[in-house]
Amino acid sequence: MKRYGDRMQAVQIPLGSELRIGGPLLIALACLVFFACPILWPWQLLLALVGSLLGVWQWRRFLRRRPVAVVPGPNRGISCQLADGSTLTVSALRIGVLRPWLVSARLEGPAGERVDLFVPGRSLPENAHWQLRRWLIWFRASDPLAGGHDRDLAI
């Protein structure tokens, strides 16, 4: 998080070790589950192959479309810079978890595109993680579709 004058700049979101290691491990675990099934080995092999191909495809898709920075905009707006170089202007926000140890939310653009934001607390400095949570609450409070269930959010 950088501050120039009174204007807030982007919060950079690195790919944390939880995701860097956990994603491929989850794919390997899914393959091992298929091998543990009590079915004939050709079916085990086929299911493991299909599972690993789907897992690798989804992992590569996530790495290309993951948020790398969140930027506050004018009029309580938020935009999100993605790893593929594009920018998503957030029009709706669905918060999963908003706690000091984890931020998990789905950011939706005006054309219906969605990006999942997953930021463990230790992947950012404490003040940047706090600022990200504040921006999401600030944006959600201005979203008429949010529903007003913010009373249980920990800041």
Side-chain angles (χ1 to χ4, degrees), residues 41-58:
W41 71 268
W43 288 107
Q44 287 178 340
L45 188 60
L46 179 67
L47 288 174
L49 181 65
V50 168
S52 64
L53 288 176
L54 285 174
V56 168
W57 175 68
Q58 284 288 1

Side-chain angles (χ1 to χ4, degrees), residues 1-11 71-72 131 135:
M1 177 179 65
K2 297 177 184 143
R3 180 186 293 264
Y4 297 106
D6 59 321
R7 183 183 152 153
M8 297 300 292
Q9 297 297 319
V11 171
V71 183
Q131 188 64 52
W135 286 343

Side-chain angles (χ1 to χ4, degrees), residues 34-140:
F34 289 124
F35 284 123
C37 291
I39 56 177
L40 296 175
W41 71 268
W43 288 107
Q44 287 178 340
L45 188 60
L46 179 67
L47 288 174
L49 181 65
V50 168
S52 64
L53 288 176
L54 285 174
V56 168
W57 175 68
Q58 284 288 1
W59 180 244
R60 289 177 50 92
R61 181 177 178 263
F62 170 75
L63 290 177
R64 279 193 315 269
R65 295 282 300 166
R66 76 176 185 86
V68 293
V70 176
V71 183
N75 301 326
R76 295 184 114 172
I78 293 178
S79 60
C80 184
Q81 297 171 358
L82 305 178
D84 64 1
S86 63
T87 301
L88 175 73
T89 302
V90 179
S91 63
L93 175 67
R94 306 291 175 247
I95 293 179
V97 177
L98 194 57
R99 302 280 186 217
W101 57 88
L102 176 66
V103 169
S104 172
R106 175 163 284 175
L107 310 174
E108 299 179 9
E113 63 269 34
R114 293 186 291 268
V115 173
D116 293 323
L117 178 67
F118 184 80
V119 185
R122 59 181 199 211
S123 66
L124 288 176
E126 186 177 336
N127 62 341
H129 202 266
W130 178 84
Q131 188 64 52
L132 178 63
R133 292 192 315 269
R134 296 302 316 157
W135 286 343
L136 294 177
I137 291 171
W138 181 54
F139 177 80
R140 186 171 164 92

